[in-house]
Amino acid sequence: MTQYDVDLFVIGGGSGGVRAGRIAAGHGARVAVAEEYRYGGTCVIRGCVPKKLLVYASEYAHGFQDAAGFGWSVGDTSFDWARLIANKDKEIGRLERIYRGLFENAGAKTYDGRARLVDAHTVEVAGQQITAGTILIATGGTPVKPEIPGAELMITSNEAFHLPEQPKRVVVLGGGYIAVEFAGIFNGLGSQVSLVYRGEQILRGFDDDVRNHLAAEIVKSGIDLRVKTDIVKLEQATDGSLLLHLGDGSSIACDAVMAATGRKPNTQGLGLEAVGVALDADGAVQVDAWSQSSVKHIYAVGDVTNRINLTPVAIREGHAFADTVFGNRPRQADHADVPSAVFSQPPVGSVGLTEAQARQRYSAVDIYRTSFKPMRHTLSGRDERILMKLVVDAASDRVLGAHMVGPEAGEIIQGIAIAIKAKATKADFDATVGIHPTAAEEFVTLREKVKA
Ligand SMILES: Cc1cc2nc3c(=O)[nH]c(=O)nc-3n(C[C@H](O)[C@H](O)[C@H](O)COP(=O)(O)OP(=O)(O)OC[C@H]3O[C@@H](n4cnc5c(N)ncnc54)[C@H](O)[C@@H]3O)c2cc1C
């Protein structure tokens, strides 16, 4: 039998790679990992975690305004971008050390540097060549910018977390969750924000009622939302400000343009094609339900496979891979009914099928929906409404999808996701006693079908 330096080499120390390497080491495998940037990966360093910290920061603006209706007089407020970024960086540094430690404590060897395959069993990193019985590609993805003149002047989410100053006027390009979240962050922190998207409506893939409701809410919150809008070119004036030219001949003057127009899998220059690993047209590693690539001992998990690009999914895929290959416990990551949130303002939570998906798959679908003013805003006076919606299979009474726009939507939908995973029926929802007074109780008191 061939003797390799290690049993498993993990390329990428992000959500999926860390979990896979740590679990494999726990099963007794000799593990090495390479990370070219910072341990923790996109989610911890420049994704979910810092993003949520910035969302928290930006939510204070509403809090100060809403306090008056409850009798408070809030004095002059001011916001210090540099202090927020410094505090955020301190926390991210702490988390990064924890993630690196997870590997090292599990007995894995860490390499700092960009890795690539030199042959099907050999990884080159930091001037060394290491042979491995199994290789896991967990290299994640990278933001892409639109191909227009002046694109080099744009920032992406990567840079947005480290801007030396808060831009006073920002244009965010894109309609996905990252675009919508950053528009809310900058808006809450006091920047003037335009959200420009060439599609019909923001949040493609989410339920249409959610998309329309959120679009109306973010317009109310002061964001200049422009859908069905093409961009033509970006120019810089001598004073450093930017001018974004749009397809309709108009332009927007601003201090920063953030492209949140998509991400591509990190497979370039890894040497994958040369050893026979099949990639799809977008450059994602093609894998089966076991996360196994077209080369038997090379696996891939997380965003580099472009399945469901969320941290908990990458973690599940990495864990299932490690249990299967090194733990003698074959299992696949389950991609059904994955809940997700958009940390917009107000936020979105969603699990299961949208109404449109349900209508395609089931012959009769019942829709339960409500929209109401949150109790807090009876006194605050804020004009913001909650949306809640259940999508039900009429034949079996099973709840196929639950969707919400409103405060704590992510927290609420996480609980509802358990019910949906357990195949709860609408009758089960109705039999559940509400917690009063909450917004969440509306999910168990939706009595009237609005559509069949
Ligand atoms: C702005 C933003 C916000 C997000 N918010 C959320 C959220 O709220 N909730 C959620 O679930 N998901 C969120 N995501 C998505 C989430 O970050 C990803 O799904 C998750 O990080 C994927 O994990 P991964 O292990 O596949 O890749 P990553 O976490 O991207 O890790 C890949 C790692 O591989 C390293 N690497 C790449 N190439 C090489 C190489 N050749 N050699 C060595 N190292 C290499 C990279 O430096 C990186 O650290 C967000 C993403 C972004 C960009």
Side-chain angles (χ1 to χ4, degrees):
M1 200 177 112
T2 322
Q3 197 54 48
Y4 297 108
D5 297 331
V6 293
D7 300 316
L8 171 65
F9 199 106
V10 180
I11 305 184
S15 307
V18 170
R19 177 59 68 95
R22 185 163 71 83
I23 299 299
H27 288 314
R30 296 169 304 141
V31 177
V33 58
E35 169 54 54
E36 69 169 338
Y37 183 54
R38 295 173 67 183
Y39 283 87
T42 303
C43 181
V44 175
I45 307 297
R46 44 193 182 184
C48 338
V49 176
K51 182 257 321 260
K52 190 86 187 273
L53 295 175
L54 299 195
V55 169
Y56 283 135
S58 68
E59 284 172 347
Y60 281 94
H62 274 184
F64 295 138
Q65 289 159 6
D66 293 351
F70 293 89
W72 288 94
S73 300
V74 179
D76 284 345
T77 58
S78 64
F79 168 69
D80 183 346
W81 171 267
R83 177 146 42 105
L84 170 65
I85 297 301
N87 288 346
K88 180 266 293 176
D89 285 344
K90 206 167 139 201
E91 171 60 7
I92 300 308
R94 186 183 72 84
L95 293 174
E96 181 186 4
R97 286 189 291 281
I98 291 176
Y99 274 86
R100 184 190 280 273
L102 284 177
F103 264 124
E104 293 173 350
N105 296 339
K109 177 144 178 48
T110 53
Y111 292 89
D112 293 344
R114 183 170 177 77
R116 66 179 189 96
L117 302 191
V118 288
D119 65 43
H121 278 285
T122 309
V123 177
E124 186 174 80
V125 57
Q128 297 180 57
Q129 294 202 343
I130 300 103
T131 60
T134 301
I135 293 171
L136 179 69
I137 310 298
T139 48
T142 309
V144 288
K145 292 179 183 177
E147 289 179 7
I148 60 161
E152 70 284 355
L153 300 167
M154 295 176 190
I155 58 166
T156 67
S157 58
N158 283 354
E159 294 77 34
F161 289 116
H162 292 108
L163 293 176
E165 275 173 35
Q166 178 187 356
K168 294 281 164 277
R169 301 164 301 170
V170 189
V171 179
V172 180
L173 304 176
Y177 77 96
I178 295 175
V180 172
E181 290 174 340
F182 271 92
I185 289 170
F186 284 119
N187 183 52
L189 296 179
S191 301
Q192 188 182 312
V193 179
S194 299
L195 178 58
V196 175
Y197 178 46
R198 69 172 179 197
E200 286 280 317
Q201 183 56 287
I202 54 168
L203 292 188
R204 191 159 58 89
F206 282 78
D207 187 88
D208 287 337
D209 283 330
V210 165
R211 300 169 73 190
N212 294 332
H213 188 94
L214 183 69
E217 288 298 335
I218 67 174
V219 169
K220 278 196 247 167
S221 77
I223 293 172
D224 163 33
L225 173 63
R226 305 191 193 195
V227 293
K228 294 185 242 169
T229 303
D230 287 320
I231 51 169
V232 178
K233 72 173 170 185
L234 180 62
E235 287 176 327
Q236 187 157 39
T238 42
D239 66 358
S241 68
L242 300 172
L243 195 62
L244 180 68
H245 295 271
L246 306 177
D248 63 5
S250 67
S251 57
I252 309 177
C254 57
D255 306 303
V257 174
M258 173 178 159
T261 40
R263 294 175 63 81
K264 68 167 195 301
N266 281 332
T267 47
Q268 275 151 333
L270 270 178
L272 291 172
E273 299 95 320
V275 301
V277 173
L279 306 181
D280 71 13
D282 296 322
V285 179
Q286 287 187 311
V287 288
D288 64 13
W290 301 98
S291 296
Q292 191 171 31
S293 80
S294 53
V295 175
K296 194 160 95 315
H297 67 278
I298 300 181
Y299 291 74
V301 295
D303 286 11
V304 75
T305 63
N306 206 11
R307 285 177 278 182
I308 299 178
N309 298 336
L310 292 171
T311 272
V313 176
I315 289 174
R316 293 276 170 139
E317 290 167 358
H319 203 134
F321 151 79
D323 280 350
T324 302
V325 178
F326 298 102
N328 204 18
R329 278 181 55 205
R331 60 191 191 88
Q332 299 176 347
D334 181 359
H335 292 94
D337 294 329
V338 171
S340 71
V342 180
F343 296 98
S344 45
Q345 297 173 41
V348 173
S350 193
V351 59
L353 301 186
T354 65
E355 180 179 342
Q357 289 167 337
R359 290 198 187 283
Q360 270 177 3
R361 294 184 210 174
Y362 292 82
S363 54
V365 173
D366 292 336
I367 301 299
Y368 296 82
R369 189 178 57 211
T370 181
S371 168
F372 57 96
K373 187 180 223 178
M375 190 179 186
R376 176 188 295 272
H377 296 322
T378 54
L379 293 202
S380 77
R382 179 173 298 283
D383 176 22
E384 184 183 292
R385 294 182 75 76
I386 292 180
L387 173 80
M388 287 179 173
K389 178 170 176 178
L390 290 179
V391 179
V392 179
D393 171 26
S396 66
D397 197 39
R398 235 186 89 192
V399 179
L400 303 171
H403 309 277
M404 173 175 175
V405 184
E408 308 300 350
E411 307 288 342
I412 292 168
I413 290 293
Q414 180 68 83
I416 303 278
I418 302 172
I420 291 198
K421 199 72 194 161
K423 304 196 180 346
T425 60
K426 179 65 171 58
D428 294 321
F429 275 61
D430 295 344
T432 304
V433 175
I435 300 175
H436 188 70
T438 62
E441 68 180 316
E442 295 292 325
F443 268 126
V444 295
T445 56
L446 285 166
R447 296 275 173 258
E448 279 177 37
K449 280 179 219 170
V450 293
K451 271 197 258 174

